[in-house]
RNA sequence: GCCCGGAUGGCGAAACCGGUAGACGCGGGGGCCUUAAAAGCCCCUUCCCGCAAGGGGGUGCGGGUUCGAGUCCCGCUCCGGGCACCA
């Protein structure tokens, strides 16, 4: 005879078994039409890279999954879908690099992701998977484009793009580093192409003010506010001297208009040709050509100021003085009116310009330094005549000088007063400007949804009728971009030549595809409708499930993806397709997993392959370890040795359930700790404070198994429910061991009983003069007098109490402070 | 430059509303069990002085408020992120 070894926890077996069971029983399937208390838990879908799932992905998904499972245990019907952001320049570039075709490569990558994700044990209803590169998805992306077009929110205009002459391709701004192509280092040029834009600028104010109503991570909201960049000011008209023309400028400092000593136009400003005098034409033209050649990134970076005088003069409406009109590349056509009034005395850029080009101001305009750099604001020791060594921009407690009737007005009041005065004279209007510019959705690429527009010789620009969607992306072998500046699709006449949908005459398709960010700007609407072939989204289902209750994702998408999604939702609401305008009620940004203090990247060679860890420790341990690293919303440093602590905890839980005693009664002290733990774990899990929830469970385990005591079944069963969101496979197995036949995820969340939580004695810290000198054990209901007596009875404390206590501060059950 | 975060032991980190700083885990030390090892279990582990009892210091830096400050206020330093020739 030999004793049978107790069965040890074998994560591989347990996980395989439950993944099979979940699939067979449909545990993760959601009844979208009937479920009670619907809860839409969304996580940012991944781009299916060839490298496979990254720990960062798994960290993000696990955090979302825990929240989703917790809500299910609380009794919600939880819909947690997942899919793939499979279109886009990343996939296309990678395909080009390895010489594969994205249409074949993408499904392979998706398959690999799918396999890895299924091992992670996410509570995803895979029947509602989306893949943005599939025709049954991008058909509706094109539909979204058409709705925006119908509402007048899509328009076409010529705009500058970055062009790499070596790669022969259009580059995104992020792909330009210091004026050069990030991949080959060639100097990037500007090209002007006709492109499609969405009028997101029209929604700037709404996108900004709605932020106050959203329950989002503060970092994310602040990033959006910066990006939208609202600024209040005025548009001021300057009449051009001796000509029938005027220059409109935008300024946030109308109060400094008495110090506006010259104007500057962007080199591409349409008035430049009109204003340039014959003697200045060659210099101005040369300067314009130079700036056009510059790439967009270095154009916007700070370099030494340059510019040219146009030969024309304008009249300052406040002073009546003649001021010269210049052009300079530090003024951007895209912002404001593309022209500024320069106040060198009180603007650092204008000051630098006036200093650097001082010689030209003297020789070409006949203006001395003092005439150009004029003080109109003074503060501190300075007065109207104090010379300016630098631009004076400290407006606090400053007032206007050399400003006629406004002398002495505090800067704080002057803005409104001067604007009103200018407005009354017909020279200015108060305006609000936004930095947010319209969204360019055209991509001169292959791997995206063709923009559903046709150009007809007779009818002009014609949207493709909705019933003719999708405009299918053809399988072409030569999808590589070339130096034509148009999409590879433009090489395929057999594809782009079509009859006009309106008149049947000769027409050509738009050959650009749309931006990947459009694919992801509406995917949350598609998930609950992923099986519908007749509509993009159904009104009833959408009303039932949206807006999204909880959205979790990385803050790298704080601006583009989240802002575009909000814009598209607003636009669809205005078009009558939705009855809400904010898609994500609650958004939380998760942190980043770093390693050895550095971001994980292939070049650093510090990338973690999740498969290795799942094989060695099991998915449950790996999930739980990722959550234990640090606060979820801050991320943490991955140390491979740390995982053993979490695994040890799960081993002990396994053993506790296996050996649990069904006879007898649970221990009162243990049960007290249990109820405290239930409360703590629930509060922390709801707040995404996963690291401290896990710590609380570990702490309970230390009590439960202290000195290898035998555990009673009632002491351990609720812990199985608490751990379920974190280690779902193990929890199911333990739940079954405890004699249940249904899933633990249908068992509910245990309730805590405040009466069972109270301690009968408490430890009170005793301070003398605010310094902790000892602690005393007292009954939980002890009065202040009881505690003082107990403290003074303790000689180690009493020796610090010299004389009669003057003041006694008692914080019930926690602390006593004696002041002598 | 402006706007958001953050800085706590050897390490990852905790600390509700201003109330015992360092929970939980890693690492380290010691013990029990074992022929031995592994595993498991128990104890210790903020720093300095001390054999100990005990004492003193301590949450990036400098001030302040308070009986009491990691937490609040003022002034900085450094790190991470966003915006930025945006008028």
């Amino acid at each position: 005879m030999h004793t049978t070894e107790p069965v040890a926890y074998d994560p591989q077996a347990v996980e395989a078994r439950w993944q099979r069971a979940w699939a067979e029983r449909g545990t993760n399937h959601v009844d979208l039409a009937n479920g009670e208390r619907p809860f839409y838990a969304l996580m940012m879908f991944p781009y299916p890279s060839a490298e496979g799932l990254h720990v960062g992905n798994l960290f993000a998904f696990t955090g979302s999954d825990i929240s989703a499972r917790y809500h299910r245990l609380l009794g919600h019907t939880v819909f947690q879908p997942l899919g793939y952001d499979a279109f886009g320049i990343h996939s296309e570039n990678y395909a080009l690099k390895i010489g594969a075709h994205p249409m074949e490569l993408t499904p392979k990558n998706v398959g690999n992701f799918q396999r890895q994700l299924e091992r992670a044990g996410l509570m995803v209803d895979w029947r509602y998977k989306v893949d943005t590169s599939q025709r049954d998805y991008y058909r509706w992306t094109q539909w979204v484009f058409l709705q925006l077009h119908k509402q007048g929110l899509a328009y076409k205009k010529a705009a500058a793009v970055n062009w790499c002459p070596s790669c022969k391709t259009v580059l995104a701004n992020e792909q330009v580093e210091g004026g050069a192509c990030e991949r080959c280092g060639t100097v990037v040029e500007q090209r002007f192409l006709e492109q499609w834009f969405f009028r997101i600028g029209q929604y700037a104010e709404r996108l900004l003010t709605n932020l106050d109503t959203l329950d989002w991570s503060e970092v994310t909201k602040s990033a959006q506010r910066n990006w939208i960049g609202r600024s209040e000011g005025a548009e001021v008209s300057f009449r051009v001297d001796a000509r029938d023309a005027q220059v409109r400028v935008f300024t946030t400092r109308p109060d400094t208009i008495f110090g506006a000593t010259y104007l500057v136009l962007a080199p591409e400003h349409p008035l430049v040709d009109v204003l340039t005098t014959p003697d200045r034409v060659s210099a101005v033209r040369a300067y314009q050509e130079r700036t056009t050649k510059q790439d967009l990134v270095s154009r916007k970076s700070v370099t030494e100021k340059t510019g040219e005088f146009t030969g024309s003069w304008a009249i300052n409406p406040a002073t009546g003085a003649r001021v010269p009109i210049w052009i300079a590349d530090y003024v951007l056509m895209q912002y404001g009116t593309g022209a500024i009034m320069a106040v060198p005395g009180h603007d650092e850029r204008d000051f630098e310009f006036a200093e650097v080009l001082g010689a030209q101001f003297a020789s070409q305009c006949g203006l001395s330094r003092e005439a150009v750099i004029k003080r109109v604001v003074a503060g501190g020791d300075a007065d109207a005549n104090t010379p300016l060594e630098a631009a004076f921009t400290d407006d606090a407690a400053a007032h206007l000088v050399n400003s006629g009737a406004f002398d002495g007005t505090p800067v704080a009041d002057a803005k409104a007063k001067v604007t009103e005065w200018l407005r009354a004279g017909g020279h200015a209007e108060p305006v609000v400007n936004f930095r947010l510019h319209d969204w360019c959705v055209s991509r001169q690429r292959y791997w995206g949804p063709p923009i559903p527009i046709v150009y007809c010789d007779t009818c002009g620009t014609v949207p493709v009728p909705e019933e003719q969607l999708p405009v299918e992306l053809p399988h072409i072998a030569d999808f590589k971009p070339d130096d034509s500046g148009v999409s590879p699709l433009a090489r395929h006449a057999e594809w782009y030549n079509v009859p006009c949908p309106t008149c049947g005459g000769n027409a050509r398709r738009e050959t650009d595809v749309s931006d990947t960010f459009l694919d992801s700007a509406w995917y949350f609407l598609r998930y609950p409708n992923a099986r519908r072939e007749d509509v993009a989204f159904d009104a009833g289902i959408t009303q039932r499930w949206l807006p999204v209750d909880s959205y979790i994702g990385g803050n790298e998408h704080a601006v583009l993806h989240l802002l575009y999604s909000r814009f598209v939702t607003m636009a669809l609401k205005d078009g009558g397709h939705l009855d809400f305008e904010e898609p994500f009620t609650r958004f939380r940004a998760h942190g980043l997993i770093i390693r050895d203090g550095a971001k994980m990247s292939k070049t650093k060679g510090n990338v973690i392959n999740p498969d290795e860890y799942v094989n060695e420790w099991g998915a449950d341990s790996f999930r739980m370890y990722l959550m234990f690293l640090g606060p979820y919303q801050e991320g943490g440093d991955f140390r491979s040795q740390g995982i053993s602590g979490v695994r040890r905890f799960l081993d002990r839980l396994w053993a506790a359930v296996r050996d649990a005693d069904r006879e007898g009664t649970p221990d009162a002290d243990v049960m007290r700790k249990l109820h405290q733990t239930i409360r703590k774990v629930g509060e922390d899990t709801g707040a995404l404070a996963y690291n401290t929830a896990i710590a609380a469970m570990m702490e309970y385990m230390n009590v439960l198994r202290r000195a290898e005591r035998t555990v009673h079944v009632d002491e351990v069963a609720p812990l199985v429910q608490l751990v379920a969101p974190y280690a779902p496979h193990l929890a199911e197995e333990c739940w079954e061991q405890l004699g249940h036949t249904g899933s633990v995820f249908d068992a509910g969340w245990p309730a805590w009983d405040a009466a069972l939580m109270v301690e009968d004695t408490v430890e009170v810290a005793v301070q003398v003069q605010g310094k902790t000198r000892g602690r005393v054990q007292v009954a939980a209901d002890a009065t202040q007098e009881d505690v003082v007596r107990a403290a003074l009875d303790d000689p180690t404390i009493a020796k610090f109490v010299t004389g009669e206590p003057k003041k006694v501060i008692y914080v019930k059950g926690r602390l006593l402070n004696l002041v002598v």
Side-chain angles (χ1 to χ4, degrees):
Chain A
M1 287 296 279
H2 54 266
T3 52
T4 42
E5 282 288 307
V7 185
Y9 170 42
D10 175 3
Q12 304 308 331
V14 170
E15 288 167 14
R17 180 174 173 227
W18 284 97
Q19 283 164 18
R20 210 179 314 117
W22 290 333
E24 282 164 10
R25 300 181 194 173
T27 309
N28 298 337
H29 287 184
V30 186
D31 181 355
L32 293 181
N34 299 307
E36 300 264 306
R37 297 171 68 201
F39 188 91
Y40 190 169
L42 182 67
M43 54 183 123
M44 285 185 181
F45 65 169
Y47 138 67
S49 74
E51 289 86 39
L53 196 67
H54 187 268
V55 226
N57 298 129
L58 208 52
F59 176 76
F61 298 155
T62 302
S64 181
D65 191 53
I66 290 167
S67 169
R69 289 182 181 276
Y70 175 62
H71 279 89
R72 173 163 172 174
L73 285 161
L74 289 179
H76 292 274
T77 303
V78 177
F79 178 47
Q80 178 171 246
L82 195 52
Y84 298 98
D85 194 13
F87 258 149
I89 208 159
H90 275 110
S91 308
E92 184 179 313
N93 284 348
Y94 185 77
L96 282 168
K97 192 171 130 195
I98 67 162
H101 195 282
M103 267 188 198
E104 279 100 50
L105 189 62
T106 303
K108 224 187 279 178
N109 292 347
V110 165
N112 188 40
F113 257 71
Q114 188 74 28
R115 178 190 60 77
Q116 289 185 298
L117 285 172
E118 282 171 15
R119 287 192 72 191
L122 302 175
M123 191 183 71
V124 166
D125 189 343
W126 287 109
R127 298 174 304 167
Y128 295 90
K129 176 168 71 183
V130 302
D131 174 338
T132 57
S133 70
Q134 296 298 304
R135 50 170 297 179
D136 62 357
Y137 184 87
Y138 72 72
R139 167 186 182 177
W140 301 112
T141 305
Q142 292 170 337
W143 178 87
V144 169
F145 181 96
L146 291 177
Q147 303 318 305
L148 268 62
H149 184 263
K150 204 187 287 177
Q151 289 167 239
L153 295 173
Y155 68 100
K156 214 178 177 190
K157 73 167 184 199
V161 293
N162 299 300
W163 179 262
C164 172
S166 160
C167 300
K168 300 188 192 312
T169 180
V170 171
L171 300 177
N173 281 346
E174 307 84 83
Q175 295 174 295
V176 181
E177 277 171 9
C181 171
E182 67 165 2
R183 283 161 58 214
C184 67
T186 311
V187 174
V188 170
E189 298 171 358
Q190 251 187 75
R191 281 202 179 185
F192 283 87
L193 303 175
E194 284 273 308
Q195 315 202 62
W196 282 97
F197 285 82
F198 284 154
R199 294 189 200 279
I200 189 172
Q202 207 170 295
Y203 285 73
E205 188 79 59
R206 213 159 138 198
L207 288 166
L208 183 69
T209 51
N210 275 12
L211 282 176
D212 297 336
T213 70
L214 296 177
D215 177 14
W216 282 25
S217 298
E218 194 48 46
V219 267
T220 313
K221 292 210 255 188
S222 129
Q224 292 213 349
R225 287 192 190 104
N226 283 337
W227 184 264
I228 294 168
R230 183 182 198 273
S231 63
E232 282 182 20
E235 262 182 40
V236 184
S237 293
F238 283 69
R239 189 165 56 78
V240 179
D241 189 32
R243 267 186 219 240
D244 182 22
Q246 54 174 18
V247 177
R248 288 184 73 76
V249 304
F250 172 72
T251 178
T252 55
R253 295 296 307 277
D255 53 306
T256 61
I257 188 155
F258 288 85
T261 52
Y262 61 99
L263 302 185
V264 189
L265 307 191
E268 59 272 60
H269 196 289
L271 273 177
V272 174
D273 288 345
V274 181
L275 297 178
T276 306
T277 54
D279 58 311
R280 299 297 308 151
V281 165
S282 61
V284 166
R285 287 272 158 79
Y287 188 79
Q288 286 178 311
E289 270 168 44
R290 229 175 76 208
T291 44
T292 327
K293 274 223 177 109
Q294 242 180 6
D295 71 283
L296 300 169
V297 176
S298 54
R299 164 72 191 271
K300 289 184 177 184
S301 56
V302 183
T303 47
E304 176 148 280
K305 298 280 178 292
T306 57
E308 289 292 343
F309 177 43
T310 61
S312 286
W313 296 71
I315 308 295
N316 181 322
T319 61
R322 287 173 85 236
V323 296
I325 304 173
W326 289 68
I327 63 169
D329 65 357
Y330 80 95
V331 175
L332 307 169
M333 195 61 221
Q334 308 88 289
Y335 188 74
T337 59
I340 63 157
M341 63 177 210
V343 184
H346 306 285
D347 181 284
E348 277 157 19
R349 297 151 302 182
D350 299 343
F351 182 88
E352 192 202 334
F353 186 82
E355 289 279 55
V356 171
L357 296 155
Q360 284 95 305
F361 272 93
S363 63
Q364 294 167 4
C365 310
L367 294 172
S368 66
R369 184 182 186 276
E370 291 66 39
V372 177
I373 303 174
K374 187 180 159 193
R375 179 186 282 277
V376 291
V377 178
D381 301 332
D383 62 28
N385 301 314
T386 313
L388 286 157
E389 303 304 329
F392 176 73
T393 55
D394 182 13
D395 298 331
H399 58 275
L400 298 196
V401 293
N402 299 324
S403 297
F406 295 99
D407 282 355
T409 312
V411 168
D413 307 337
K415 276 188 189 184
K417 287 187 175 163
V418 174
T419 305
E420 175 50 28
W421 175 67
L422 288 169
R423 197 197 60 75
H427 303 296
E429 285 301 327
V431 294
V432 174
N433 238 303
F434 294 94
R435 188 155 44 229
L436 178 67
H437 39 270
D438 279 348
W439 174 12
C440 176
V441 292
S442 296
R443 293 293 179 272
Q444 296 74 37
R445 287 295 194 127
Y446 168 69
W447 194 231
I451 291 175
I453 293 287
V454 165
Y455 303 103
C456 168
D457 291 340
T458 48
C459 310
T461 302
V462 180
V464 173
E466 288 176 21
E467 60 277 11
Q468 288 178 24
L469 295 180
V471 176
E472 220 166 314
L473 182 69
H475 188 297
I476 59 171
D478 55 334
F479 63 92
K480 192 178 173 188
D482 64 15
D483 68 351
S484 60
V486 291
S487 158
L489 293 172
R491 295 192 290 255
H492 290 263
E494 77 287 355
W495 179 76
Y496 68 70
N497 277 326
V498 287
C500 169
T502 308
C503 72
N506 287 343
R508 292 157 309 282
R509 287 192 188 285
E510 167 67 63
T511 54
D512 283 353
V513 300
S514 58
D515 183 4
T516 325
F517 279 112
L518 181 58
D519 303 327
S520 55
W522 75 282
Y523 77 119
F524 46 92
L525 293 169
R526 185 60 184 163
Y527 276 134
N529 299 284
R531 284 136 63 91
R532 289 291 290 261
E533 290 181 9
D534 54 334
V535 286
F537 45 88
D538 170 83
I541 287 289
T542 302
Q543 189 172 20
R544 192 171 159 74
W545 287 93
L546 282 117
V548 169
D549 295 283
S550 163
Y551 193 20
I552 290 176
N555 216 37
E556 65 274 17
H557 293 117
V559 175
L560 297 181
H561 162 64
L562 288 169
L563 200 65
Y564 292 154
S565 298
R566 296 179 60 214
F567 161 68
V568 166
T569 304
M570 277 180 197
L572 289 172
K573 189 213 175 199
D574 292 350
H577 301 286
L578 297 172
D579 59 4
F580 56 92
E581 66 179 36
E582 286 294 341
F584 315 124
T585 307
R586 176 170 119 136
F587 173 76
R588 290 291 179 274
H590 64 248
L592 289 177
I593 296 292
I594 55 172
R595 196 181 186 193
D596 309 323
K599 232 177 181 170
M600 280 188 221
S601 71
K602 261 206 295 196
T603 45
K604 290 201 189 81
N606 60 354
V607 176
I608 308 280
N609 178 359
D611 280 339
E612 280 172 35
Y613 284 86
V614 172
N615 288 341
E616 188 177 350
W617 299 93
D620 283 339
S621 292
F622 193 54
R623 281 169 63 105
M624 212 157 165
Y625 175 59
L626 289 176
M627 296 302 105
F628 190 58
L629 279 178
Y632 186 59
Q633 293 176 67
E634 280 161 42
D637 204 342
F638 190 95
R639 312 234 159 208
S640 10
Q641 33 185 343
I643 195 169
S644 60
V646 164
R647 171 60 189 270
R648 197 148 28 231
F649 167 74
L650 294 180
D651 280 332
R652 300 219 289 168
L653 175 60
W654 172 271
V657 170
R658 181 194 59 205
D659 304 335
D661 199 344
R662 280 153 195 285
E663 310 294 314
T665 49
D667 180 90
D669 288 334
V670 173
M671 290 305 276
R672 173 161 52 235
K673 186 72 183 168
L674 171 67
H675 282 263
Q676 290 167 353
T677 303
I678 293 171
R679 177 180 176 172
K680 169 90 176 142
V681 172
E683 283 171 358
D684 286 0
T685 304
L688 272 50
Y690 302 140
N691 56 333
T692 50
I694 294 168
M697 290 188 273
M698 288 173 163
E699 210 177 313
Y700 178 58
M701 179 62 74
N702 288 340
V703 171
L704 192 64
R705 298 267 293 167
R706 175 134 295 152
E708 294 179 300
R709 69 182 279 278
T710 304
V711 170
H712 191 271
V713 93
D714 294 344
E715 294 166 353
V716 74
L719 181 59
V720 172
Q721 290 163 279
L722 299 188
V723 87
Y726 296 85
H729 311 88
L730 174 75
E732 289 277 37
E733 184 75 19
C734 290
W735 196 243
E736 191 185 70
Q737 285 236 357
L738 291 170
H740 301 277
T741 50
S743 168
V744 68
F745 295 100
D746 295 324
W749 189 253
W752 49 271
D753 183 341
L756 293 176
M757 275 167 44
V758 287
E759 311 270 353
D760 21 281
T761 67
V762 287
E763 191 185 66
V764 174
V766 181
Q767 297 184 336
V768 181
Q769 311 291 77
K771 271 183 187 286
T772 307
R773 293 301 184 179
R775 2 208 102 148
V776 289
Q777 285 290 336
V778 294
D781 56 356
T783 62
Q784 181 175 314
E785 289 71 46
D786 298 336
V787 181
V788 171
R789 203 176 312 117
L792 295 175
D793 281 351
D794 184 333
T796 61
I797 296 169
K799 71 178 178 186
F800 292 98
V801 184
T802 52
E804 206 44 32
K806 260 192 289 189
K807 193 171 170 188
V808 176
I809 292 118
Y810 179 56
V811 181
K812 197 171 186 315
R814 299 185 68 100
L815 176 134
L816 178 76
N817 189 6
L818 301 170
V819 186
V820 293

